[in-house]
Amino acid sequence: VIRCRAAVAWAPGKPLSVEEVEVAPPKAGEVRIKLVVTGICRTDEHLLQGCFPNAEFPVIPGHEGAGIVESIGEGVTSMNPGDKVIPLCLPQCGECSFCQNPQSNFCQKSQISEPQNLLPDKTSRFSCKGKQIHHFLWVSTFSEYTVVPEYAVAKIDAAAPLDKVCLFGCGFSTGYGAAINTAKVKPGSTCAVFGLGGVGLSVVMGCKTAGASRIIAVDINKDKFAKAKELGATDCINPRDFKKPIQEVITEMTGQGVDYSFEAIGHADTMIAALASCNMNTGVCVMAGELDSGSEISIDPTLLLTGRTWKGTVLGGWKMRECMPKLVSSYLEKKFNSDLLITHTLPFAEVNEGFELLRAGKSIRTILLF
């Protein structure tokens, strides 16, 4: 058993509490990781506010991190102590029908199929003050040490800087892949991106990499426009600057709507606006934002009847275990510069300050160093 620091959410709506926790050794098929760095993602904020489906408290949040294998359980063959790794909030068991489908990146072991509040054997490796602490999406990166099933860990290049590639655990992969894999943006096309947080700006990068000729970035926070343009946006618009619905503005700007639109906020009204802003016949709208648990959307069916495609994306369509090492290699080859998403670096003890930056719209990505 290792004793270490972790940020525990004892109840919804309360600040995180940095505590000493006990982390049990890995059982068969599991890996214990010493985290070096973790990112703060809006999904963690959903969890803290009690809006994440099936979550249980007390819990150690965090799902975007990178570290080094400390020890391995019986039967683990794909990594060894000392290897650099990224824990994966979307596992790849390799055995379920989704994993065996080359067109799918989902896995039936993931949260959407069954809760990941405890490890597969239905027990926790975390305890604090004599109480069991739940895992979050199995990975719980807000802890100096965490235990994860082998099929929810990707071994990466030893040359990778962990404080940069930790974003690949969620935010960057989701947005970049939404453009590259899910929408399959074509060269010369037009795109609109709603929401310029870590995911939305990663969508902008993906659209640019795919060769889009026009990328319209949409946000009510104009402070994010400079970063969007740096990453490839050609136009930046604030819905509050117009008297008409933003989908009408985008349709007028492009003549018929964009070829691809992306919603990276997680609001019902912006999802409908994103859908309506793409071409009524061949347009593709990708939902990357996460709505609060229990949310519903009602739409005018003619939006789809004319031929539009509306689809979601899970972690950007990547089969995480096999694609993560390739993404890291692309980063090392300088095919994109995801470093620009990191706006703040704080010591782990200042985790609550990191969330304040997120809530105030002052950060794109804050990373915490252990």
Side-chain angles (χ1 to χ4, degrees), residues 97-133:
S97 59
F98 284 106
C99 282
Q100 292 185 356
N101 179 349
Q103 294 180 299
S104 159
N105 79 309
F106 192 66
C107 174
Q108 281 176 305
K109 297 275 199 292
S110 86
Q111 172 79 18
I112 300 167
S113 291
E114 54 186 68
Q116 291 171 285
N117 305 322
L118 298 170
L119 292 188
D121 71 350
K122 305 302 180 203
T123 63
S124 172
R125 301 293 165 270
F126 296 122
S127 58
C128 179
K129 299 176 180 174
K131 291 183 179 175
Q132 171 184 277
I133 307 295

Side-chain angles (χ1 to χ4, degrees), residues 61-370:
H63 62 288
E64 202 178 74
I68 295 164
V69 175
E70 178 270 334
S71 58
I72 56 175
E74 183 187 342
V76 171
T77 56
S78 61
M79 57 199 69
N80 292 296
D83 287 342
K84 285 187 177 179
V85 292
I86 292 178
L88 308 171
C89 56
L90 179 64
Q92 187 182 347
C93 73
E95 296 174 354
C96 70
S97 59
F98 284 106
C99 282
Q100 292 185 356
N101 179 349
Q103 294 180 299
S104 159
N105 79 309
F106 192 66
C107 174
Q108 281 176 305
K109 297 275 199 292
S110 86
Q111 172 79 18
I112 300 167
S113 291
E114 54 186 68
Q116 291 171 285
N117 305 322
L118 298 170
L119 292 188
D121 71 350
K122 305 302 180 203
T123 63
S124 172
R125 301 293 165 270
F126 296 122
S127 58
C128 179
K129 299 176 180 174
K131 291 183 179 175
Q132 171 184 277
I133 307 295
H134 291 94
H135 294 249
F136 178 52
L137 298 175
W138 282 347
V139 291
S140 291
T141 58
F142 288 2
S143 174
E144 287 181 282
Y145 288 85
T146 190
V147 178
V148 186
E150 180 184 15
Y151 53 74
V153 185
K155 177 182 170 181
I156 59 170
D157 194 310
L162 296 178
D163 60 330
K164 303 291 192 268
V165 299
C166 68
L167 303 186
F168 294 16
C170 178
F172 175 74
S173 302
T174 297
Y176 191 74
I180 301 286
N181 301 326
T182 310
K184 296 181 170 59
V185 171
K186 294 185 177 65
S189 59
T190 55
C191 303
V193 182
F194 287 70
L196 301 176
V199 172
L201 289 171
S202 299
V203 173
V204 170
M205 294 167 74
C207 293
K208 184 183 179 185
T209 299
S213 62
R214 194 171 186 189
I215 303 168
I216 301 168
V218 185
D219 203 296
I220 57 172
N221 182 351
K222 63 181 186 302
D223 294 341
K224 296 185 175 180
F225 290 171
K227 181 75 75 175
K229 291 210 164 166
E230 187 181 7
L231 293 171
T234 54
D235 307 78
C236 293
I237 55 176
N238 182 343
R240 291 178 175 168
D241 290 343
F242 302 92
K243 290 193 167 70
K244 60 180 73 170
I246 198 65
Q247 54 264 42
E248 291 181 23
V249 175
I250 292 171
T251 301
E252 286 175 10
M253 287 171 72
T254 54
Q256 61 200 14
V258 292
D259 299 309
Y260 306 95
S261 61
F262 302 85
E263 203 277 358
I265 304 167
H267 291 164
D269 54 349
T270 44
M271 287 190 177
I272 294 167
L275 178 63
S277 67
C278 69
N279 179 303
M280 67 190 298
N281 179 232
T282 57
V284 175
C285 177
V286 177
M287 183 194 309
E290 186 178 356
L291 281 89
D292 289 346
S293 175
S295 300
E296 292 186 355
I297 297 179
S298 53
I299 66 161
D300 177 351
T302 56
L303 283 171
L304 296 173
L305 188 65
T306 53
R308 282 185 182 91
T309 299
W310 194 17
K311 61 201 303 189
T313 187
V314 182
L315 268 296
W318 307 101
K319 278 188 182 288
M320 292 297 274
R321 272 202 95 195
E322 64 188 62
C323 291
M324 184 63 69
K326 298 173 189 171
L327 261 181
V328 170
S329 295
S330 294
Y331 167 85
L332 292 171
E333 291 161 12
K334 296 187 163 49
K335 290 187 177 172
F336 47 78
N337 186 6
S338 50
D339 297 0
L340 294 170
L341 299 171
I342 299 170
T343 51
H344 296 77
T345 301
L346 298 174
F348 177 65
E350 294 178 21
V351 57
N352 286 309
E353 286 82 345
F355 276 95
E356 289 306 321
L357 289 166
L358 174 75
R359 293 170 192 138
K362 291 179 180 173
S363 63
I364 302 299
R365 236 346 158 254
T366 296
I367 62 167
L368 305 169
L369 297 176
F370 288 99

